[in-house]
Amino acid sequence: MSVYFIDVIIPIPIQKTFTYSVTAMEYEFLKKGMRVAVSFGKTKMYTGLVFKLHKTPPEAYEAKEILQILDDKPIVTEHQLKHWEWISTYYMCGLGDVYRAALPSAFLLESETIIFKNETFENDDILSDEEFLIYEALQHQSQLTIHQVVDILGKKKVLPIINELLHKSAIYIKEEIYEQYKPKLIKYVRLHGNYSSENSLESLLTELSRAKKQRDVVLSYFQLATFKKPIKVKELETVSGASSATIKALVDKDVLEYYLIQTDRISFNGNTNDLKELNEFQEQALQEIKTSFKTKEVTLLHGITSSGKTEVYTKLIQETLDSGKQALFLLPEIALTTQIIVRLQHYFGNQISVFHSKYSMNERVEVWNNVLENKSKAQIILGARSSIFLPFKDLGLIVVDEEHETSYKQFEPSPRYNARDAAIVLSHIHQGKIVLGSATPSLETYFNASENKYGFVTLNRRFGNVQLPQIHLVDMKEKQRKREMTGHFSDTLLKHIQEALDLKEQVILFQNRRGFSPIIECKTCGVSPQCPNCDVSLTFHKYKQELKCHYCNYQRAMPNSCGACGSNTLSTKGFGTEQIELELKELFPNHIIGRMDLDTTRGKYGYQKIIGAFEAREIDILVGTQMLSKGLDFDNVSLVGILNADMMLNFPDFRAHERAFQLMVQVSGRAGRSKKQGKVLIQTYNPYHQILQQVSSTDYAAMYKEQLEDRWQYHYPPYYRLVKITLKHKDYQKVDAGIIWLSKALQNVFREHVLGPSEPAVSRIRNQYIKNVMIKIPPKQSLGKTKQEIDKIKNTFQAIADFRPIRFIIDVDAY
């Protein structure tokens, strides 16, 4: 008799798959990419994903049977599984990690522990107070979940109490799997089958002549029925002015009947319009991209800000749709999707679906299903980095807009992938093409293009031949010496803001720090309030009069006096967007000031409200953090002010200068995008800094050349690859001993290519101490063999009893 097995991916951070046994019928029915419920460990149940079907039993353990099959057809495609394997291998993480990150959480059915009362238990005197509370609750309810027990006891640590009740045989427990996704069903109404003939309708109206409200409902129904569309119950209530009780009375009389239709929670309506005509430079760039696609899979489009890259993308997307394939448009920031949806919807109508983390779990499941079934409403996917995990059937084109953005890199939790690089591999798996677009490409991408690895196309004219903005550097040292500062504004910046406002133009001010002030300091003893969980000072938020940690979200009320010496002379140091907003309200009381940072865009539609108000010219001056730098298009902005350029330059990171250049050029690009040349003012204490000079002349080539020389000299990407290993634990001694052992072990293998051990700028977050060690991989060294060596060292490290509790994090391409 043949025995059948399946290899299953389980959503836990383990590299390998697990083997389970199945019956012959199950083996015939199952396919790769289907979900099965499996038991793992003593009691836990998980949703496993079928990875392989075979007849080879496992060697190390006896295969358990699966509990149930959860799907009729695969919800994950072969292409996806191939892509997951690459992510797992390249980024040195478990397949289970990729599985958990890729699927919307509604698909990952997990078991819920259900607690039942043991009917034979009588001796309740032996129960403690907390145990008795749970036992008493079970007298009134047949069962309780762990979450309900947490609510009853008002504390999170309830498992020891449940274990004690089990030990005393007062309860028993079971694991139950529950479905999380609930389809959205809308209630519609139709005429009952009894009234399909004209005679029956006449007798119905006669019958209802005394029930005026019910008669009005029926007449309103006929009125709506002329549109030949399904009629919603809510719509009938509105048109007839009747209550739901009146409609229900008609349903009870078998005059009307309810029925349900499943609908998507989000859909984009719209008619398709003709694409904009390209100007000669855009047309030339489009033809060059197509030519490049004949020999290269990846092409870099280096187009200056406001050169009309989006219009070039739309032409490429249209051609992809015409060939019957899907297109993926990747954006770095959710804030950007708001504007781009409107633009793409204008051209492609309801062929667009959007996928990002601000959408609810149910909304993401619906997008997933639409892409899997290749529905017409999922031909173009617009999304942030997680959309590379969607189950595309035939992906013809990927556009990675603003490809230099750090938001494409996932840092926590695992998998720590870069969506741009993963998208290149995804495109290769589907045999599609990929365009990387940016005004300030990352050094690695530009290097690959200059080495002829990628195709390279430039677009160096702004749309409508508008000139690039004039960029001026304002010397803050000089301004302070001459006492020409008002708060954090130089007289030059205030003069230009006033001129722009007088001409009814809008202004953007950029300060890459949120809150009111990053430090509160006592003038008497110099102590500043620190976060109890992290090695960082608390940021003051004036709007709520509270101190807040931006790492662990710890918050407390702003004290009236110093906690160390009792003095009430507390002063603020540094400034954030909130302080700038308040200063502007005093300086320009007759104008409307808006703020766009993490605090003001918390809700699902937070971005939309602010961007919509600014586009509608309801806001005169918009203050914001780096959210403002990413491809937003406002036609009435004539002035951009950067308030503190030095903060970006003096950052302990080998990419600080490249990032500062990209950020400042991108923010500058928001100015003068329609007809008139814009102005940019950069306030700095060091106007002769090389990077600031390059920003003022928008000289990308000079910045690239200079940074590349530094990277070669100090052995950094794009020449060398980086793998960062981080250790975290709440015991400092443990982490310290662990990192010393680890760095010695790595140095024995990789010699001088090991950097560290070192502490990051913030060396304790959420009471976890952090230590890093960096491995540089030379150009000729095998990446695969290097990773094997790192894996060996990791396994040895974790086999040492003292080091086992330490969290060991590997981050490949950690930048």
Side-chain angles (χ1 to χ4, degrees), residues 289-335:
I289 291 171
K290 286 191 204 165
T291 309
S292 150
F293 278 162
K294 287 174 186 168
T295 53
K296 302 269 193 308
E297 283 183 8
V298 187
T299 297
L300 169 63
L301 173 59
H302 182 199
I304 60 170
T305 54
S306 191
S307 56
K309 294 188 285 293
T310 309
E311 307 306 332
V312 177
Y313 302 149
T314 54
K315 289 280 186 189
L316 289 166
I317 290 169
Q318 185 62 64
E319 288 179 18
T320 305
L321 297 187
D322 292 344
S323 67
K325 295 187 174 186
Q326 293 165 303
L328 170 61
F329 197 126
L330 279 179
L331 293 157
E333 189 79 60
I334 297 166

Side-chain angles (χ1 to χ4, degrees), residues 264-280:
D264 284 353
R265 285 165 169 80
I266 290 181
S267 57
F268 296 98
N269 305 317
N271 304 314
T272 52
N273 293 292
D274 291 338
L275 299 184
K276 264 190 193 173
E277 284 300 310
L278 300 185
N279 64 26
E280 57 177 303

Side-chain angles (χ1 to χ4, degrees), residues 36-193:
V36 287
V38 294
S39 67
F40 188 76
K42 284 183 181 170
T43 56
K44 205 77 173 122
M45 281 194 262
Y46 282 105
T47 308
L49 193 81
V50 179
F51 185 69
K52 191 176 167 192
L53 295 101
H54 59 90
K55 295 181 182 177
T56 317
E59 290 174 12
Y61 53 92
E62 192 178 330
K64 292 181 184 176
E65 292 178 3
I66 63 168
L67 300 172
Q68 65 189 91
I69 297 171
L70 298 170
D71 296 310
D72 299 331
K73 53 181 192 244
I75 62 159
V76 171
T77 66
E78 295 260 0
H79 285 327
Q80 276 177 292
L81 290 171
K82 208 185 272 185
H83 192 222
W84 292 7
E85 277 191 277
W86 176 83
I87 289 175
S88 164
T89 308
Y90 185 83
Y91 291 105
M92 300 182 75
C93 60
L95 258 176
D97 281 330
V98 187
Y99 171 36
R100 188 176 273 285
L103 260 71
S105 55
F107 284 136
L108 298 172
L109 312 176
E110 286 195 11
S111 57
E112 170 82 274
T113 302
I114 310 286
I115 300 161
F116 297 90
K117 185 178 79 165
N118 183 359
E119 297 296 345
T120 59
F121 178 77
E122 290 172 354
N123 188 11
D124 54 16
D125 300 340
I126 62 169
L127 301 180
S128 70
D129 291 350
E130 286 180 327
E131 289 161 13
F132 187 75
L133 273 176
I134 299 170
Y135 186 72
E136 192 180 32
L138 284 167
Q139 313 273 18
H140 305 291
Q141 279 172 269
S142 59
Q143 60 187 53
L144 290 173
T145 65
I146 295 286
H147 296 294
Q148 286 169 320
V149 173
V150 167
D151 292 340
I152 290 165
L153 299 180
K155 61 195 278 189
K156 285 184 180 173
K157 251 190 172 173
V158 295
L159 290 179
I161 299 160
I162 291 167
N163 284 334
E164 197 56 38
L165 280 165
L166 279 169
H167 183 64
K168 290 173 181 173
S169 303
I171 59 166
Y172 64 93
I173 60 173
K174 274 187 188 172
E175 293 283 326
E176 279 189 18
I177 276 197
Y178 55 97
E179 182 80 57
Q180 292 175 308
Y181 169 64
K182 288 187 174 64
K184 184 179 182 183
L185 300 169
I186 292 190
K187 201 188 260 189
Y188 286 82
V189 67
R190 63 186 164 209
L191 204 60
H192 198 281

Side-chain angles (χ1 to χ4, degrees), residues 742-757 773-776:
L742 184 65
S743 54
K744 279 181 183 165
L746 291 167
Q747 278 159 3
N748 287 340
V749 179
F750 301 112
R751 312 278 173 224
E752 72 279 4
H753 297 307
V754 177
L755 266 187
V773 64
M774 188 85 80
I775 303 153
K776 293 180 176 179

